[in-house]
Amino acid sequence: MATAVAPTRAQPVVIEESVATRALRVLARAPVHIVLIVIALLWLLPTLGLFFTSLLQPEDLGEGGWWQVFSEPSKLTFENYRTMVGNEGITSALITTAWITTGATILPIMVAALAGYAFAWLEFPGRDWIFLGVIALLLVPLQMALIPIFQLYNATGLYDTILGLILFHSAFALPFAIFLLRNFFAGIPKDLMEAARIDGASEMRIFFRLILPLGLPAVASLGIFQVLFVWNDLLVGLVLAQDNQPIQPAIASQLRQFGANLEVIAPASFFSAIIPLAIFLAFQRYFVQGLLAGSVK
Amino acid sequence: MEAPPGGPSPWRKHGVTFGFLLPAVVFLTAWVIYPAIKTFYRSLYSDRGDEFVWFDNYTALFSDERVVTAMKNNAIWVAVVPAGVTALGLVFAVLTERVRWAVAFKFAVFMPLAISLFAVGVIWRIMYEKDPDSGVVNALIASGRDAVKEPGVLPTAKPSSEAVTGTPKGGIRLEETVEPGGTAFIGLTAIPPRDMPESAKQAVEPEAREGGITGVVWRDFKPGGGTPGEVETEELGIPRVTVELRSSAGGKIAEAKTEDDGTFVFEGVEGGQYEVVVGSATFANPFGGVSWLGEKLITPALLIAYLWASAGFAMVVIGAGLAAISRDVLEAARTDGATEWQVFRRVTIPLLAPVLTVVFVTQIIGVLKVFDIVLSLAPEASRDNATVIALEMWEKSFAGQNRFGFGSAISMFLFALFIPFLILNIRRFRAENG
């Protein structure tokens, strides 16, 4: 691949470039552009397929692939989405998911910010060891908690509740959140902290007035991660909810008859993907920063 | 890292610290640490929980056929995905490095990362649809095949009258032999209108020709009735049918293709008796589609879908790594006379090594836990073959089986696979922080 890039790289700065050499250079790179265009189209194709499938009526789907929309655009209709809005199971699952996502994003970030500050700037015995423990918890798969929590929730009435799911997601988000925020907070200049302490500001005040505002970029990337993670979760919802299922498990329950339920599955899947996609698009920068900051989850 | 000197009394200070840490400690203890210990404990008891069985659940893991398949499948995932994702990411990152519209390309490849793996499974289930008329993957294969090999035109045809016999497999032939100067009427029915080639025209009765054999192959069906064996108005000729002329001994002598009106001609036929046969190639079934979601191909199908979803992650992380490499180092190598490939191989790749490792390890951790996409992409009929450890854990524990002892043992097994990475993580942290 690198050889394809070679011509331009080999001549870093050409100050006076004739039209001919320039045309030649562009031409030499044409294959790269063509390859990239083909790859990009291939990568968009599957999602487009879901989108167009969701806009076709079952009887049209029975007749052929979703690409029939190119020859017969009149077949496109929002009918499936209209039906979906009237489908109590799907709409209530979407609302439930929105609540869970909101709670399970705000709560762990608050808790982790407090702990991250303590690990970064407060002195206490065993601090580094405890933090090492948090790092170890990063790699405990949530399967390790499912059975005991399922039983506990059944015994305490938290089973099948929005609160139960929020608490579970929050707990498993904490190790990564504490890790990320502690590292970010630790990078805040020491002078700033000392100045605030000399001014007699309480730790609480420092935390809310100095640390949180400065840590906003980290909080933002963490927030986006968590929104995507919770919104897209299938397993936890499948295990800890039944009638109050979030959207992914709710769609999963339609899978048994994939072909017959496609007019429900396709719009619901596409719609459920729109929300994280929109958030991702709006905050792409923070998402990428978070990705780079915390590579292991 | 150290707290500044002075400040409030130690007691008060620790009180404050305690306040900052308490919520996290409560959460982690109640929802992570305690349940994890409980899971270990539970894995030593029977499924109903009333009998201490030592490590029986663990030995049972290796005699459960599906769990063993799951372990093998996870091994395949680990062997394929991290290397595949890293390679794709590296290629994409390098290719886009000097391209102006890289942002658009990156968006296309990165986007699936925001979509749930569950929905990714739904997306690919539509892609992998077996019928080439509804699944993109098979449609692409079918169009590739059709370019090489002409498909049969009449997969379902049957003789229309007693004058014609045979089966699609052996070829359909005229009951009676024909001699030069004769004509052959091969009427066929049971051809759905959509199977008729678009170029088909009104069938025409063939004219006898001296020294040759002429004939017609047509769709012997007239809406509202008609006479079988006769070419009538509104009956269409079938174009592009391969007609064979066979000697009475059965050997093929000549071959002809029908015109749009269904007629065909064999010129210069020597005297004798001949069989006129519509060859079996005409009746060959068209490409029916690869069964991607069937038992045999389900895991490769899953891997492709997962690579599609994850390549963007590697591309972005590696792209950031590339951007961070100092131009001076690369220039220095070039000045020393290194070729582009040498620069890439000897300078860029070693400098990228830490980033590549991070991507690779992240992907291993991801595929060890893989669950959602298997549940949504693999139809129930191929779950036995597609299953992975996390799916087994869920099915054995929750999908109506309630085998909590066994399920806990599966969780422990999964956790054990993570321990090397856990140690790696701790080591890395300690190395970075003295």
Side-chain angles (χ1 to χ4, degrees):
Chain A
M1 294 307 143
T3 45
V5 189
T8 47
R9 270 198 181 173
Q11 353 170 306
V13 189
V14 181
I15 298 166
E16 279 180 47
E17 197 180 36
S18 75
V19 178
T21 50
R22 181 129 171 238
L24 254 172
R25 196 176 50 120
V26 170
L27 217 64
R29 286 186 55 77
V32 177
H33 288 281
I34 292 167
V35 167
L36 286 178
I37 289 171
V38 170
I39 295 172
L41 289 179
L42 272 180
W43 239 261
L44 287 174
L45 186 71
T47 317
L48 273 185
L50 175 67
F51 178 60
F52 285 130
T53 301
S54 75
L55 294 177
L56 282 171
Q57 288 288 282
E59 57 268 22
D60 292 330
L61 282 173
E63 245 167 54
W66 52 264
W67 53 91
Q68 59 186 287
V69 301
F70 294 121
S71 50
E72 288 167 275
S74 61
K75 283 185 175 173
L76 292 173
T77 163
F78 281 99
E79 200 49 47
N80 292 335
Y81 286 90
R82 214 164 294 149
T83 317
M84 187 187 85
V85 172
N87 183 335
E88 184 76 27
I90 299 291
T91 46
S92 74
L94 281 168
I95 295 166
T96 304
T97 313
W99 279 117
I100 295 170
T101 306
T102 311
T105 300
I106 296 172
L107 183 63
I109 289 180
M110 294 299 291
V111 172
L114 290 169
Y117 174 67
F119 282 119
W121 289 102
L122 299 179
E123 187 88 336
F124 56 92
R127 181 179 74 174
D128 292 351
W129 284 104
I130 301 176
F131 190 64
L132 227 48
V134 172
I135 290 176
L137 291 182
L138 264 174
L139 280 161
V140 175
L142 57 81
Q143 276 85 357
M144 286 293 285
L146 283 180
I147 292 172
I149 294 290
F150 172 77
Q151 291 180 314
L152 181 82
Y153 276 16
N154 268 314
T156 55
L158 277 171
Y159 178 74
D160 205 17
T161 62
I162 290 175
L163 179 66
L165 285 167
I166 290 178
L167 294 174
F168 189 94
H169 279 300
S170 298
F172 274 88
L174 275 181
F176 179 67
I178 295 174
F179 174 74
L180 193 86
L181 290 178
R182 178 260 179 208
N183 286 352
F184 194 88
F185 293 160
I188 290 172
K190 208 173 173 181
D191 300 350
L192 272 178
M193 296 296 299
E194 277 173 5
R197 280 185 178 146
I198 289 164
D199 287 348
S202 70
E203 296 296 345
M204 266 300 180
R205 207 180 148 76
I206 294 175
F207 176 74
F208 281 108
R209 289 294 165 85
L210 188 69
I211 298 284
L212 269 192
L214 284 174
L216 218 54
V219 168
S221 31
L222 204 56
I224 291 154
F225 260 108
Q226 187 64 3
V227 167
L228 294 191
F229 186 81
V230 177
W231 185 279
N232 288 339
D233 161 73
L234 172 69
L235 181 56
V236 180
L238 214 48
V239 170
L240 298 181
Q242 189 157 27
D243 299 328
N244 278 322
Q245 274 185 339
I247 186 69
Q248 313 287 345
I251 305 173
S253 63
Q254 307 272 346
L255 278 180
R256 206 172 280 261
Q257 305 251 301
F258 188 80
N261 287 341
L262 199 52
E263 75 264 24
V264 182
I265 295 170
S269 299
F270 189 77
F271 189 79
S272 84
I274 283 286
I275 310 254
L277 268 177
I279 290 172
F280 161 75
L281 267 182
F283 302 99
Q284 203 175 358
R285 192 164 60 92
Y286 293 110
F287 185 75
V288 172
Q289 278 170 3
L291 213 70
L292 299 178
S295 43
V296 184
K297 184 178 180 176
Chain B
M1 283 287 282
E2 324 122 41
S9 75
W11 180 243
R12 234 196 97 201
K13 209 175 74 188
H14 286 314
V16 170
T17 305
F18 189 69
F20 274 93
L21 282 177
L22 184 67
V25 170
V26 169
F27 262 111
L28 289 175
T29 313
W31 271 272
V32 186
I33 299 168
Y34 166 74
I37 295 167
K38 186 99 187 276
T39 292
F40 169 64
Y41 178 79
R42 190 67 186 77
S43 72
L44 304 175
Y45 279 82
S46 65
D47 284 329
R48 289 178 58 198
D50 49 6
E51 198 190 332
F52 185 77
V53 294
W54 287 102
F55 292 99
D56 284 4
N57 286 322
Y58 292 86
T59 49
L61 289 182
F62 298 94
S63 50
D64 184 300
E65 213 173 301
R66 276 193 54 149
V67 175
V68 172
T69 311
M71 291 172 184
K72 283 183 191 156
N73 281 339
N74 266 101
I76 295 173
W77 279 80
V78 170
V80 174
V81 170
V85 166
T86 313
L88 278 177
L90 184 62
V91 169
F92 292 171
V94 169
L95 280 184
T96 51
E97 214 195 352
R98 293 271 177 114
V99 175
R100 285 220 189 109
W101 55 284
V103 177
F105 178 87
K106 284 186 174 167
F107 171 73
V109 178
F110 198 47
M111 183 194 64
L113 211 61
I115 301 174
S116 70
L117 278 173
F118 174 79
V120 168
V122 172
I123 286 174
W124 281 85
R125 202 140 157 188
I126 297 169
M127 290 286 286
Y128 285 135
E129 207 58 63
K130 184 165 183 293
D131 182 350
D133 283 339
S134 36
V136 176
V137 178
N138 280 331
L140 289 176
I141 295 174
S143 62
R145 262 173 76 125
D146 290 355
V148 183
K149 189 179 153 202
E150 206 168 328
V153 273
L154 306 167
T156 57
K158 285 195 184 106
S160 71
S161 69
E162 308 239 312
V164 186
T165 58
T167 57
K169 206 167 186 185
I172 290 184
R173 63 187 156 77
L174 271 186
E175 183 72 36
E176 306 207 337
T177 53
V178 183
E179 50 190 32
T183 52
F185 286 76
I186 305 176
L188 299 171
T189 55
I191 305 164
R194 65 178 154 84
D195 276 8
M196 283 298 288
E198 273 175 31
S199 61
K201 290 190 188 132
Q202 169 65 44
V204 174
E205 287 204 18
E207 282 172 28
R209 195 179 290 206
E210 206 169 316
I213 292 176
T214 53
V216 61
V217 181
W218 86 106
R219 182 170 178 247
D220 192 7
F221 170 78
K222 188 175 178 176
T227 318
E230 275 179 32
V231 175
E232 293 161 288
T233 49
E234 286 180 60
E235 294 185 345
L236 295 173
I238 306 170
R240 298 206 312 274
V241 171
T242 311
V243 185
E244 292 171 13
L245 196 64
R246 291 182 191 165
S247 71
S248 42
K252 185 162 89 179
I253 291 168
E255 206 177 80
K257 288 244 172 189
T258 55
E259 302 293 325
D260 286 352
D261 57 10
T263 57
F264 60 90
V265 182
F266 292 108
E267 305 264 17
V269 183
E270 287 172 25
Q273 297 290 321
Y274 296 96
E275 279 191 331
V276 180
V277 184
V278 176
S280 58
T282 298
F283 304 103
N285 270 313
F287 173 62
V290 176
S291 178
W292 291 102
L293 303 178
E295 292 180 0
K296 289 211 178 84
L297 290 175
I298 184 66
T299 298
L302 280 163
L303 294 172
I304 291 172
Y306 195 91
L307 285 176
W308 173 79
S310 307
F313 163 77
M315 177 187 68
V316 166
V317 176
I318 295 171
L322 268 180
I325 292 177
S326 150
R327 297 284 144 208
D328 297 348
V329 179
L330 300 180
E331 277 319 307
R334 286 188 191 117
T335 316
D336 290 345
T339 65
E340 275 313 306
W341 176 249
Q342 282 173 329
V343 172
F344 181 73
R345 183 72 195 75
R346 301 280 168 82
V347 184
T348 310
I349 293 283
L351 285 174
L352 273 182
V355 175
L356 296 178
T357 311
V358 161
V359 171
F360 197 86
V361 170
T362 310
Q363 290 300 313
I364 297 179
I365 291 169
V367 298
L368 285 177
K369 288 194 274 200
V370 66
F371 170 78
D372 319 35
I373 192 172
V374 184
L375 193 81
S376 59
L377 184 53
E380 256 163 82
S382 22
R383 289 256 176 89
D384 282 351
N385 299 76
T387 189
V388 288
I389 296 170
L391 186 72
E392 283 310 300
M393 189 273 159
W394 174 72
E395 287 210 340
K396 296 289 195 302
S397 316
F398 298 108
Q401 299 194 28
N402 290 342
R403 299 184 57 190
F404 288 157
F406 194 68
S408 297
I410 301 178
S411 296
M412 289 300 298
F413 180 81
L414 190 63
F415 178 55
L417 297 178
F418 279 86
I419 287 179
F421 301 101
L422 192 152
I423 294 169
L424 202 79
N425 240 6
I426 290 180
R427 278 215 186 135
R428 205 176 58 172
F429 178 78
R430 294 190 74 169
E432 279 167 16
N433 292 269

